[in-house]
Amino acid sequence: MNALRWFALGILLFPFALHGQYSRERVSLVLRGEEALQRQEVGAAIDAFRAAARDTSVARRAAAERMLGIISWRFYHENGRAREHFGAALATQHDTAATLVELARLAISEGRYRQAFTFADRARAAAVDDIARRGAVLQMARAVTEAALAARVDDAPSADHADSAGVASVVSELLALVRETPGRVDESHQLLLAALIAGDGAAATSGADSYYLVDVGDASMQTAIPATIAELDKVLPAWHGDHTRAIDRARLVAALTRARLIDAAALVATPGAEVIAYAAYCRRMARTAEEYYRRALLGEGRQTDLTRGYIRASHDLWPRLTWPGATPRYYPAAVDAELARRFGTILQLGITGGYYDMHMAHVVGAERRVISQYSKRAAVDFVVIDGIVTNGLQSWAWDDAGGHGGWQRSDTIVQVRPIFVEHAISLWVSADTARREREERSIASDSVLDWNLAQSDSIAYLPGVAARLRRDGREALIDSLRRAGVSDLMLGSVFVRVASRLMRESSIIAHEGRHAIDEMLRPSLSPEEREFRAKLSEIGFAERPKIVMSSIVHPNIGDATPHGRANARVMLGLIRWMRAHASEVTGLVINRPMLPQLPLLSDAQLRRAFRSMDPLALQPGR
């Protein structure tokens, strides 16, 4: 077991991804509560949402009651109270689909899969836009796939599942989503699982192809994924459920396991197979970690709870693995190496963002990289992971509104692939002309709020600034691709691949690479100082800084974590730079707060501003 201290993690938000639990009305009281949750301040979030629930605005009341319901069941396990809040949200008759989606999520957590399917189907019928519809379809799918996984993997058979017609409807809806936006992780994964349950090999092939549509890394990356997907393209169409030939089933299990699609492999494996035992272990580890996270955020969890849970689960798994002879004696230090050899597992316990937590996933690619910044160099192993089991306490607390994008330890840098794929695709989806008017209205209202926030706190998180930076960075990249001759037909796929690469090189290679350089040069640096310097490199070496600013213009600015304190220092530095270079920034008004005007800076000016704060860049001769 690698019980160690992680020095860094990359934080990325999904500002345009649908997560129905987060209100699309950027209203002050609700926004205040959402920001508190982003900082893991549960009590402050509850206070803000309670205040919003008493507001005269129907939109505020609906969003606040919905968020109070989410907090009740996710953080306190008060499911009855959660339903009362969801009922109050439904009574407003505003944003009904989002509330029904949350009722479906709650029902899934309770194992009430048929009820969850019904709620999600009602949400689909009530959806008034593509965002709400996608959220509803995903919950319909999870109601189907979780029921099957509980029965197959957790050995918890239940008649409480959707009928064959319901499963077929889910496959059809997911196919439509995948065709509309290929490469998106959630619907691709759910399509693969649901199609396997339905015995629809052709649809399952579409899910697998879409899941890994966005490349794992550069051409230099050592990865088995392309060859494995080619193998799946051959064997998946032969899948017809229980009627599949044994030889085809065995090939399919092996290929899905190599693709690190462990839950899918478990669905098609024969009873008693090793991969089913391992899938059960992964699901147990996820539940153990999430329960620890919940208790830790309420001040009740102890670090030893998580460590002991890992040891107990690993001890139980050990004899269920397939061994050539007698089962060797179990000891914790052997588990990591054995699971890495069989499944590509990476599991680490340590401190991230100020919290003791766990990251568990599966390696899908690796390469050796040399990081060079300001004439300083560090050689690192760059590892890409997928098949996420748990992505740390903060990712769980953010409830899919953001996640850990990666980390660095010693000479290893890790990238969480699904985070980057979703972020890049969400950027592209947000560019759809049908969304522009809504985006502009949201930015306009947020920008008014920004000025008020900046008047009372000069370094506050400003949602309008964050949205403008994303929009401007996105539009600049689209324009550059068009000027380079990319056709409209190919624009989406090229944009996603380029944006994914840009974010990887900045938020992972530059940011985490700086940690490796600093660890070599000054290992005694404090966590805050390390994060500050890494953020300076993240933007200072970014090809397109505005696209990757979301980990810095973030609700955690100024909180007690190393990232929050580092972000506060960055904001102060930007204010000083903007004042000192006001004459160079077109449109900047010197007698108004600086940070609401941050989007006026060009990409080149942002790089200059960040480099001006960097001790390495300021060394003589630089």
Side-chain angles (χ1 to χ4, degrees):
M1 174 178 55
N2 297 322
L4 45 87
R5 187 181 194 284
W6 290 333
F7 293 106
L9 53 87
I11 298 173
L12 291 178
L13 289 181
F14 302 164
F16 292 99
L18 165 70
H19 300 286
Q21 62 270 34
Y22 288 90
S23 67
R24 292 186 293 280
E25 299 285 345
R26 304 295 301 198
V27 289
S28 57
L29 293 177
V30 175
L31 176 62
R32 190 185 311 159
E34 291 178 354
E35 289 179 4
L37 277 184
Q38 288 281 313
R39 297 190 298 271
Q40 296 85 60
E41 297 170 358
V42 181
I46 291 173
D47 290 343
F49 291 133
R50 282 176 175 167
R54 297 189 297 268
D55 198 85
T56 56
S57 164
V58 173
R60 288 192 181 96
R61 293 202 308 274
E65 291 287 2
R66 186 163 57 249
M67 292 303 300
L68 287 168
I70 292 167
I71 292 172
S72 293
W73 76 264
R74 290 192 83 240
F75 290 88
Y76 293 96
H77 285 182
E78 296 177 347
N79 295 0
R81 180 169 295 180
R83 285 188 168 84
E84 291 176 4
H85 286 299
F86 292 146
L90 288 174
T92 68
Q93 299 183 356
H94 182 85
D95 213 1
T96 298
T99 303
L100 288 169
V101 162
E102 293 310 318
L103 279 164
R105 286 212 308 158
L106 172 56
I108 290 171
S109 75
E110 297 173 324
R112 301 172 186 264
Y113 304 114
R114 191 186 297 272
Q115 183 185 81
F117 185 91
T118 300
F119 279 134
D121 198 22
R122 286 175 55 194
R124 181 175 62 93
V128 295
D129 56 42
D130 58 334
I131 296 176
R133 178 176 166 271
R134 175 178 181 254
V137 171
L138 287 175
Q139 292 309 319
M140 288 174 64
R142 290 186 180 112
V144 167
T145 59
E146 277 301 306
L149 287 166
R152 182 78 168 178
V153 177
D154 300 334
D155 197 23
S158 170
D160 187 34
H161 54 77
D163 57 22
S164 58
V167 176
S169 71
V170 163
V171 172
S172 177
E173 291 286 351
L174 289 168
L175 274 170
L177 289 181
V178 167
R179 289 167 181 158
E180 181 181 330
T181 313
R184 208 159 192 179
V185 172
D186 283 350
E187 44 261 61
S188 301
H189 184 213
Q190 290 299 318
L191 174 58
L192 172 63
L193 297 178
L196 291 174
I197 294 165
D200 187 343
T205 305
S206 297
D209 286 345
S210 178
Y211 189 85
Y212 279 118
L213 181 65
V214 180
D215 53 359
V216 172
D218 295 332
S220 58
M221 181 72 65
Q222 296 178 349
T223 174
I225 295 302
T228 303
I229 294 299
E231 172 73 4
L232 286 170
D233 285 345
K234 295 177 183 177
V235 71
L236 263 175
W239 173 252
H240 301 292
D242 292 338
H243 303 293
T244 305
R245 295 187 308 164
I247 188 172
D248 291 331
R249 183 190 293 265
R251 288 179 62 194
L252 181 53
V253 171
L256 288 169
T257 302
R258 288 197 304 275
R260 307 316 181 200
L261 297 164
I262 302 300
D263 48 5
L267 281 177
V268 303
T270 55
E274 177 183 77
V275 73
I276 296 179
Y278 178 66
Y281 169 77
C282 290
R283 287 168 65 82
R284 178 177 174 179
M285 289 306 307
R287 290 190 295 267
T288 297
E290 289 169 5
E291 177 60 15
Y292 162 76
Y293 300 156
R294 183 187 74 83
R295 293 176 60 83
L297 287 168
L298 298 180
E300 301 170 358
R302 298 174 299 175
Q303 293 184 8
T304 53
D305 295 339
L306 185 57
T307 306
R308 288 173 178 169
Y310 159 72
I311 293 173
R312 284 193 298 268
S314 301
H315 178 272
D316 292 344
L317 172 68
W318 193 254
R320 299 185 66 192
L321 298 175
T322 302
W323 302 96
T327 302
R329 181 174 176 272
Y330 166 82
Y331 60 100
V335 174
D336 280 5
E338 192 61 39
L339 295 185
R341 183 182 69 81
R342 296 179 187 230
F343 304 106
T345 313
I346 180 170
L347 187 153
Q348 295 185 340
L349 293 160
I351 304 293
T352 47
Y355 297 96
Y356 184 79
D357 61 3
M358 174 188 292
H359 291 69
M360 180 178 174
H362 302 85
V363 175
V364 294
E367 66 175 314
R368 192 70 172 168
R369 295 279 297 257
V370 176
I371 312 297
S372 178
Q373 297 180 8
Y374 306 116
S375 301
K376 309 299 181 184
R377 295 161 65 88
V380 300
D381 290 322
F382 175 46
V383 175
V384 179
I385 61 175
D386 208 294
I388 311 303
V389 177
T390 178
N391 196 27
L393 179 147
Q394 289 177 309
S395 298
W396 179 84
W398 292 333
D399 199 13
D400 288 343
H404 292 175
W407 68 85
Q408 173 270 339
R409 176 182 62 87
S410 185
D411 63 347
T412 300
I413 292 176
V414 178
Q415 177 193 0
V416 184
R417 176 184 169 272
I419 296 290
F420 284 78
V421 173
E422 178 62 24
H423 195 58
I425 291 178
S426 295
L427 272 176
W428 171 250
V429 169
S430 71
D432 188 276
T433 54
R435 299 171 185 258
R436 294 294 179 87
E437 183 178 350
R438 183 170 57 199
E439 180 184 54
E440 291 305 319
R441 287 200 308 269
S442 177
I443 288 176
S445 62
D446 284 351
S447 296
V448 172
L449 178 63
D450 285 352
W451 290 110
N452 295 332
L453 291 171
Q455 289 286 354
S456 58
D457 183 354
S458 63
I459 62 169
Y461 167 65
L462 305 178
V465 167
R468 288 160 60 200
L469 288 168
R470 286 192 298 270
R471 177 200 61 192
D472 295 350
R474 179 196 71 208
E475 293 304 302
L477 177 56
I478 289 173
D479 289 345
S480 72
L481 293 175
R482 283 185 168 137
R483 289 195 302 271
V486 178
S487 68
D488 285 349
L489 182 64
M490 298 298 297
L491 189 59
S493 60
V494 174
F495 176 94
V496 169
R497 283 182 168 81
V498 172
S500 180
R501 176 185 62 79
L502 291 173
M503 289 185 287
R504 178 176 66 246
E505 292 300 313
S506 174
S507 299
I508 293 296
I509 301 302
H511 180 114
E512 308 297 351
R514 178 58 179 271
H515 285 313
I517 289 172
D518 283 337
E519 188 170 316
M520 179 181 63
L521 296 176
R522 296 190 61 185
S524 62
L525 288 175
S526 69
E528 175 188 332
E529 183 64 25
R530 289 172 56 84
E531 290 305 330
F532 176 65
R533 294 178 180 220
K535 291 173 189 290
L536 299 183
S537 285
E538 180 176 349
I539 304 303
F541 288 93
E543 185 177 334
R544 293 185 176 274
K546 291 187 178 184
I547 282 182
V548 294
M549 283 285 288
S550 61
S551 65
I552 297 170
V553 183
H554 185 276
N556 71 355
I557 293 171
D559 72 12
T561 67
H563 276 276
R565 293 193 296 267
N567 284 341
R569 289 176 62 183
V570 168
M571 294 302 112
L572 290 171
L574 286 172
I575 289 171
R576 287 192 291 267
W577 192 92
M578 291 171 71
R579 290 194 180 281
H581 298 82
S583 62
E584 304 170 30
V585 181
T586 303
L588 189 140
V589 180
I590 192 65
N591 61 354
R592 300 201 73 185
M594 288 291 103
L595 287 187
Q597 304 181 75
L598 182 61
L600 295 175
L601 271 62
S602 66
D603 278 340
Q605 288 171 331
L606 281 169
R607 282 192 293 270
R608 284 174 54 203
F610 276 77
R611 291 187 176 203
S612 73
M613 301 179 239
D614 197 319
L616 277 187
L618 299 175
Q619 286 181 356
R622 298 298 332 134

